[in-house]
C-alpha cells in the first residue's frame, strides 16, 4: 500500500465548514503537492480525495489543478457556470492558508488565447475556428445577446460543441467575466449565421464597450419600494390546485429594470393542507422568512422585493438585484436556520429586463 493510501486509511473528520476543509487540506498539502508535481497519478491520488471533500462541504464546487512553476502548484476552484456558487468559492479562496507550494484561485482566470486551444471529442476550439456577432433587440437595448459561430459545427454533436465553446469562453474572457457580461448566447455553424462575422479576438473589446455604456446609463440608480402598490392574483393550475400571488405591480412598469439584472427566486417547500396552502403557524413562519429577507436585502442597496407566489406546498419569493453575491450568502445562512421547519432552496439567474415576470402584467 502506498504512503498516500496509508494516510487516508484512517477515518477522517467530516467537513462541515470552510475552516474544516482548509485544516484537512493543510494536513495533506505536501503529499498532494508531490502528486501534482509528479502528474502521473494526479487523478487517483489527488482528485479522487479532493472531490468528495468539496462535495461534503458544498455541492457544485469543481476544480482544476496543475503546476504554475517547478515549486508551486495552482488549484483553481470553479462553479462551472452556477452563479449562486460564485460567492462561496470567492469566500473559500479568501479563507485559504498561505502555503509555500500552493496558489489558490477563485474562478478560472483569462488566459492568452493566442497560445491556447482546447481539444474535446476530436474537436478543436481555438481563435481560428470561432467567430461571433451580436443580435440587437430594440425593445431590450442593453441586452448582450451573442451568436457564436463555430467552423466545424455539426448538429449531431451540438451538446459537445456548445460545451466546448463555453469552456473556450471561460478561458478567453475569464470565468467571472463570461458569467456577468453576456446575457444570451447561442452556438451555430457558418451555414446558420445571419450576421456579419467578427473574429472572436474582438469579443473582449466589444464586451468592455457594452459594459461601459451600461454602467454610465445606470450609475447611481436607486429605488424605494415603500409606496409601491402590490396586487393579489389568483389562478388555478392544470392539476386543479389554486395559486395565489402577491406582486409589486408598480415596479414592473419601471423603466430602469436593467440596473437590477439578477433575479433571485427563493423556493420554500412546506407541509401543505389539502388545498395546497400552509396552516396558520406555517403561514406566519413563511412571512417571517420573507420579512427577514427584506430586512437584510434592502431596496435602497439594490435588492428589490418583487413579490411572492404560494401554491401546492411551495412558496416562491422573488427579488431583482444589482449583484448576486450577498443574496447567495444570506440564503445559505437561511437554509441552515430554517432546516428543521421546511426545505429552503434558491436559484439565481440573469434576466436583465425581468422577462420572466411578464406573465404578471396581463
Amino acid at each position: 500500500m502506498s504512503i498516500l493510501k496509508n494516510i487516508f486509511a484512517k477515518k477522517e473528520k467530516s467537513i462541515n465548514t470552510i475552516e474544516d476543509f482548509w485544516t484537512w487540506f493543510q494536513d495533506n498539502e505536501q503529499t498532494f503537492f508531490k502528486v501534482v508535481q509528479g502528474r502521473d497519478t494526479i487523478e487517483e491520488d489527488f482528485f479522487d480525495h479532493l472531490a468528495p471533500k468539496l462535495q461534503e462541504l458544498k455541492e457544485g464546487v469543481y476544480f482544476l489543478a496543475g503546476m504554475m512553476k517547478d515549486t508551486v502548484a495552482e488549484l483553481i476552484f470553479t462553479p462551472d457556470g452556477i452563479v449562486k456558487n460564485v460567492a462561496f468559492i470567492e469566500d473559500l479562496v479568501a479563507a485559504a492558508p498561505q502555503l509555500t507550494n500552493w496558489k489558490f484561485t477563485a474562478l478560472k482566470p483569462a488566459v492568452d488565447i493566442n497560445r491556447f486551444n482546447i481539444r474535446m471529442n476530436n474537436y478543436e476550439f481555438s481563435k481560428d475556428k470561432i467567430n461571433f456577432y451580436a443580435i440587437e433587440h430594440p425593445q431590450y437595448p442593453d441586452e448582450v445577446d451573442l451568436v457564436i459561430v463555430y467552423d466545424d459545427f455539426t448538429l449531431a454533436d451540438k451538446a459537445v460543441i456548445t460545451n466546448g465553446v463555453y469552456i473556450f469562453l471561460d478561458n478567453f474572457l475569464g470565468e467571472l467575466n463570461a458569467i456577468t457580461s453576456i446575457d444570451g448566447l447561442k452556438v451555430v455553424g457558418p451555414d446558420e449565421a445571419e450576421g456579419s462575422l467578427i473574429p472572436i479576438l474582438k469579443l473582449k473589446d466589444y464586451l468592455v464597450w457594452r459594459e461601459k455604456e451600461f454602467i454610465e446609463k445606470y450609475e447611481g440608480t436607486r429605488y424605494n419600494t415603500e409606496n409601491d402598490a402590490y396586487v393579489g392574483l389568483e389562478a388555478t393550475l392544470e392539476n386543479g390546485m389554486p395559486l395565489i400571488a402577491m406582486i409589486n405591480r408598480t415596479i414592473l412598469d419601471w423603466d430602469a429594470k436593467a440596473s437590477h439584472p439578477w433575479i433571485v427566486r427563493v423556493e420554500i417547500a412546506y407541509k401543505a393542507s389539502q388545498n395546497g396552502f400552509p396552516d396558520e403557524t406555517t403561514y406566519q413562519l413563511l412571512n417571517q422568512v420573507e420579512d427577514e429577507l427584506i430586512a437584510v436585502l434592502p431596496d435602497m442597496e439594490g435588492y428589490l422585493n418583487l413579490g411572492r407566489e404560494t401554491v401546492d406546498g411551495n412558496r416562491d419569493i422573488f427579488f431583482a438585484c444589482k449583484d448576486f453575491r450577498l443574496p447567495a450568502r444570506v440564503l445559505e445562512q437561511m437554509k441552515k436556520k430554517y432546516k428543521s421547519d421546511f426545505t429552503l432552496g434558491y436559484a439565481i439567474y440573469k434576466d436583465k429586463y425581468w422577462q420572466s415576470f411578464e406573465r404578471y402584467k396581463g
Side-chain angles (χ1 to χ4, degrees):
M1 184 181 286
S2 70
I3 294 174
L4 189 135
K5 288 178 180 175
N6 273 317
I7 289 172
F8 290 102
K10 60 185 180 181
K11 184 174 176 63
E12 295 184 308
K13 292 175 61 177
S14 60
I15 304 295
N16 298 311
T17 66
I18 287 175
E19 291 72 23
D20 291 341
F21 172 80
W22 285 121
T23 297
W24 170 82
F25 190 94
Q26 200 160 1
D27 287 344
N28 301 288
E29 59 100 0
Q30 277 301 305
T31 303
F32 289 153
F33 173 73
K34 290 174 183 176
V35 171
V36 178
Q37 190 178 45
R39 292 182 172 87
D40 293 339
T41 62
I42 188 170
E43 186 166 341
E44 176 187 358
D45 288 339
F46 181 37
F47 292 175
D48 287 353
H49 294 285
L50 179 61
K53 293 299 180 183
L54 283 173
Q55 181 74 9
E56 197 175 344
L57 179 61
K58 184 172 179 60
E59 187 177 350
V61 177
Y62 306 95
F63 57 88
L64 307 165
M67 296 300 296
M68 284 189 67
K69 54 186 180 181
D70 290 343
T71 59
V72 179
E74 183 174 23
L75 180 57
I76 301 171
F77 297 95
T78 168
D80 199 27
I82 302 173
V83 175
K84 69 179 185 179
N85 286 347
V86 169
F88 179 85
I89 286 172
E90 291 174 340
D91 293 343
L92 177 67
V93 170
Q98 295 292 319
L99 302 176
T100 303
N101 297 123
W102 287 92
K103 173 180 170 56
F104 303 107
T105 301
L107 311 175
K108 287 178 274 188
V111 300
D112 182 358
I113 210 66
N114 290 299
R115 300 188 301 169
F116 173 84
N117 62 62
I118 298 168
R119 290 188 178 276
M120 290 176 56
N121 296 69
N122 298 318
Y123 289 100
E124 177 185 321
F125 300 90
S126 68
K127 63 181 178 64
D128 299 319
K129 290 182 173 288
I130 302 175
N131 296 282
F132 80 98
Y133 63 91
I135 300 176
E136 302 295 332
H137 299 279
Q139 70 274 39
Y140 307 124
D142 297 300
E143 192 96 344
V144 179
D145 191 5
L146 303 179
V147 177
I148 304 296
V149 183
Y150 177 62
D151 285 355
D152 299 329
F153 183 89
T154 61
L155 192 58
D157 286 334
K158 180 179 179 179
V160 171
I161 291 168
T162 299
N163 188 41
V165 167
Y166 272 91
I167 292 172
F168 175 89
L169 291 176
D170 280 350
N171 285 278
F172 175 36
L173 302 173
E175 189 171 17
L176 183 61
N177 194 25
I179 288 172
T180 58
S181 63
I182 299 172
D183 299 309
L185 190 147
K186 179 181 178 183
V187 181
V188 302
D191 293 344
E192 296 178 74
E194 297 179 351
S196 300
L197 301 189
I198 304 169
I200 199 67
L201 287 176
K202 295 187 177 181
L203 179 58
K204 279 187 180 180
D205 290 339
Y206 173 79
L207 293 176
V208 168
W209 168 61
R210 292 299 302 269
E211 182 71 10
K212 184 174 183 292
E213 280 198 332
F214 180 79
I215 291 173
E216 288 177 353
K217 186 173 181 179
Y218 295 105
E219 189 174 15
T221 301
R222 292 288 185 271
Y223 196 98
N224 186 335
T225 60
E226 184 177 356
N227 297 316
D228 285 0
Y230 285 75
V231 297
L233 304 170
E234 296 184 15
T236 303
L237 301 183
E238 290 183 1
N239 63 4
M241 298 300 287
L243 176 151
I244 293 180
M246 185 65 67
I247 299 297
N248 184 338
R249 188 62 183 79
T250 303
I251 203 172
L252 292 185
D253 293 325
W254 190 32
D255 62 359
K257 294 185 184 74
S259 64
H260 292 64
W262 298 99
I263 302 299
V264 176
R265 185 178 70 241
V266 185
E267 304 154 341
I268 306 173
Y270 58 85
K271 186 176 180 180
S273 57
Q274 194 171 4
N275 64 1
F277 295 132
D279 59 28
E280 183 60 28
T281 300
T282 304
Y283 179 79
Q284 294 301 330
L285 192 58
L286 290 169
N287 287 348
Q288 177 181 315
V289 172
E290 186 170 0
D291 289 343
E292 286 185 31
L293 286 171
I294 292 171
V296 295
L297 299 173
D299 52 11
M300 292 300 288
E301 292 182 19
Y303 308 99
L304 308 178
N305 176 230
L306 301 183
R308 66 173 186 251
E309 255 184 21
T310 307
V311 59
D312 201 10
N314 292 279
R315 170 168 289 186
D316 289 350
I317 306 168
F318 305 103
F319 287 84
C321 307
K322 279 200 165 186
D323 183 62
F324 53 82
R325 290 174 176 83
L326 180 60
R329 293 183 177 113
V330 165
L331 287 163
E332 287 298 324
Q333 295 171 1
M334 299 281 272
K335 282 171 64 175
K336 295 174 184 176
K337 179 176 179 179
Y338 288 99
K339 65 180 180 180
S340 62
D341 299 300
F342 33 59
T343 301
L344 190 153
Y346 65 99
I348 300 177
Y349 59 95
K350 202 172 189 187
D351 183 4
K352 195 174 275 182
Y353 286 91
W354 308 359
Q355 295 177 61
S356 52
F357 292 87
E358 288 294 321
R359 64 186 185 274
Y360 295 117
K361 296 181 67 174

